């Protein structure tokens, strides 16, 4: 099965459409709602009820009335939905869809770090396990990190975990000096400065769109730094016709759908033998697995009740602070 780079559509279109039809039928039959992150395969995004960034997915999950949520994304996103909606069944197509950034912050080690700084407020990126969120005062996503950090005094003592790149970026734009956990995402750390500079020679008018999980050198070159939703909105409203995109390749699907007249070029990774910027965890979810999980009602996301109760407060605090 080959995938068209421009449309994100598989060449095996008939098979895809059959699966999508089956998924739509099962979704109705089971009273389920499908939420998909922008990094999901295009064919999954096309069958979802809602597509969004991490913040939007949490905000939507909180408001859903159907009894079943299928979270097409990674495990921490499913956990967030389950913590916000404990009475609902939350399914994920592949239970091995983890996150290297969440994995870079072990809850026990984080607890030791937090206990060593008892006078600090703990701010955690949403890309964390429920156990880490349970040690946290307020959760943030890349959409609201700046605004939430700025609700604290400039000299407030803050721990920020686990992404050193996002934390460093927020420190630089807010003039804060938050203590950073040393974690990172393996997809966003791989973009090559040299190759982006080369690409800019071929596309001198292209705007560079960068997710703040990227390294500082890449962020410093950006025309726009933001969450997946912010990068998509920028691409829609910009008058530019070409964009180099330094984040996971799934976002190109919505960018190309929204702006068919514009050109989106995936920023190259350091090791080009890897081909593109796929998150191997996000891409574990497939249409077949989505169909099977709707049909079988599993794999289901479960969160320990005590941890879920403690993790719920900092997530709700984030949602409250994000209301406009
Ligand atoms: P967004 O919050 O921008 O959707 O990012 C989530 C993520 O996993 C980035 O790698
Ligand atoms: Fe986690 Fe990185 Fe994948 Fe996002 S792209 S889900 S941060 S591993």
């Amino acid at each position: 099965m080959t995938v068209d780079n421009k449309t994100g559509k598989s060449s095996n279109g008939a098979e895809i459409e059959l699966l999508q039809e089956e998924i739509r039928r099962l979704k109705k039959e089971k009273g389920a709602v499908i939420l998909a992150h922008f990094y999901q395969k295009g064919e999954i995004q096309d069958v979802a009820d809602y597509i969004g960034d991490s913040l939007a997915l949490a905000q939507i999950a909180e408001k859903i009335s159907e009894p079943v949520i299928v979270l097409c994304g990674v495990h921490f996103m499913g956990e967030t939905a389950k913590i916000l909606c404990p009475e609902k069944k939350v399914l994920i197509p592949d239970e091995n869809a983890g996150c290297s950034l969440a994995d870079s912050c072990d809850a026990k080690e984080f607890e030791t770090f937090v206990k060593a700084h008892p006078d600090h407020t703990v701010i955690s990126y949403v890309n964390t396990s429920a156990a880490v969120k349970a040690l946290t005062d307020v959760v943030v996503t890349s959409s609201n990190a700046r605004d939430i950090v700025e609700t604290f005094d400039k000299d407030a003592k803050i721990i920020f975990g686990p992404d050193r790149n996002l934390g460093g970026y927020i420190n630089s734009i807010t003039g804060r000096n938050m203590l950073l956990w040393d974690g990172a995402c393996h997809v966003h750390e791989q973009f090559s400065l040299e190759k982006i500079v080369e690409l800019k020679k071929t596309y001198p008018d292209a705007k560079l769109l960068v997710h703040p999980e990227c390294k500082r050198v890449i962020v410093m070159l950006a025309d726009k730094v933001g969450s997946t939703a912010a990068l998509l909105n920028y691409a829609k409203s910009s008058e530019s016709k070409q964009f180099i995109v330094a984040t996971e390749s799934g976002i190109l699907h919505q960018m190309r759908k929204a702006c068919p007249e514009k050109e989106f070029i995936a920023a190259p990774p350091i090791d080009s033998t890897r081909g593109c910027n796929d998150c191997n965890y996000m891409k574990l979810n497939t249409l077949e697995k989505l169909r099977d999980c709707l049909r079988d009602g599993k794999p289901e996301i479960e969160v320990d009740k005590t941890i879920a109760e403690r993790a719920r407060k900092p997530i709700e605090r984030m949602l409250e602070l994000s209301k406009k």
Side-chain angles (χ1 to χ4, degrees):
M1 198 185 283
T2 52
V3 175
D4 185 309
N5 236 4
K6 281 222 165 233
T7 61
K9 286 240 178 226
S10 160
S11 61
N12 200 345
E15 204 177 298
I16 300 268
E17 273 163 34
L18 272 178
L19 270 166
Q20 287 174 330
E21 250 174 57
E22 199 179 348
I23 287 165
R24 288 192 186 97
R25 180 181 57 74
L26 280 165
K27 197 176 66 173
K28 267 197 199 147
E29 197 179 298
K30 307 281 180 178
V33 171
I34 300 176
L35 308 191
H37 188 265
F38 287 127
Y39 294 163
Q40 290 296 284
K41 291 172 195 278
E43 60 215 38
I44 291 185
Q45 295 186 37
D46 289 345
V47 84
D49 297 291
Y50 300 96
I51 312 159
D53 66 359
S54 310
L55 176 62
L57 295 182
Q59 288 168 326
I60 294 161
E62 207 194 15
K63 294 194 179 90
I64 276 169
S65 53
E66 284 82 350
V68 182
I69 296 174
V70 186
L71 203 305
C72 296
V74 290
H75 198 266
F76 77 82
M77 296 174 177
E79 277 190 340
T80 304
K82 181 68 186 174
I83 291 165
L84 289 169
C85 317
E87 74 293 348
K88 293 196 196 304
K89 190 168 198 167
V90 178
L91 304 172
I92 185 164
D94 190 315
E95 60 194 335
N96 296 314
C99 168
S100 59
L101 178 51
D103 289 346
S104 69
C105 189
D106 173 76
K108 282 246 165 333
E109 288 173 25
F110 194 64
E111 186 171 16
T112 308
F113 183 62
V114 167
K115 281 191 175 153
H117 304 90
D119 53 348
H120 283 56
T121 296
V122 182
I123 300 184
S124 293
Y125 192 33
V126 70
N127 296 44
T128 43
S129 65
V132 167
K133 290 187 178 78
L135 299 163
T136 295
D137 296 301
V138 59
V139 169
V140 297
T141 75
S142 47
S143 271
N144 56 25
R146 178 189 191 145
D147 290 345
I148 291 182
V149 166
E150 284 183 331
T151 64
F152 294 89
D153 288 344
K154 229 172 174 167
D155 53 0
K157 291 180 176 173
I158 296 174
I159 285 175
F160 186 95
D163 189 15
R164 58 174 176 251
N165 294 320
L166 175 65
Y169 171 66
I170 300 295
N171 270 345
S172 73
I173 57 174
T174 64
R176 300 305 200 267
N177 188 22
M178 300 184 295
L179 209 49
L180 307 182
W181 183 262
D182 195 18
C185 156
H186 72 299
V187 178
H188 287 88
E189 284 236 307
Q190 70 167 334
F191 292 107
S192 157
L193 174 66
E194 289 75 16
K195 289 181 185 170
I196 291 175
V197 170
E198 270 309 302
L199 208 52
K200 283 285 272 180
K201 289 184 193 157
T202 316
Y203 300 97
D205 298 328
K207 299 285 184 205
L208 177 63
L209 312 182
V210 176
H211 196 281
E213 286 174 24
C214 293
K215 286 182 180 164
R216 186 173 167 77
V217 280
I218 311 282
V219 167
M220 281 170 67
L221 270 188
D223 293 292
K224 173 70 185 173
V225 183
S227 71
T228 47
L231 299 183
L232 175 61
N233 289 338
Y234 181 89
K236 284 184 193 166
S237 59
S238 168
E239 283 178 7
S240 294
K241 294 280 174 246
Q242 291 174 324
F243 302 85
I244 299 169
V245 185
T247 189
E248 211 272 356
S249 56
I251 189 68
L252 299 176
H253 183 65
Q254 290 305 320
M255 287 177 170
R256 287 172 178 150
K257 264 179 107 168
C259 317
E261 76 291 359
K262 298 182 182 178
E263 189 177 358
F264 297 95
I265 305 124
I270 295 167
D271 176 6
S272 15
T273 57
R274 283 175 51 105
C276 60
N277 314 315
D278 282 346
C279 169
N280 48 315
Y281 298 110
M282 284 279 181
K283 266 42 184 197
L284 281 175
N285 295 326
T286 61
L287 277 182
E288 286 84 355
K289 291 180 196 169
L290 172 55
R291 184 260 326 267
D292 294 351
C293 100
L294 272 166
R295 185 192 58 207
D296 304 336
K298 61 179 190 186
E300 187 175 354
I301 302 268
E302 303 279 7
V303 186
D304 173 88
K305 278 205 167 59
T306 317
I307 289 180
E309 265 164 38
R310 280 162 48 206
R312 190 182 169 106
K313 289 191 188 109
I315 300 173
E316 284 183 339
R317 191 166 168 195
M318 168 186 80
L319 293 175
E320 197 50 45
L321 287 168
S322 303
K323 281 184 186 152
K324 294 249 159 75

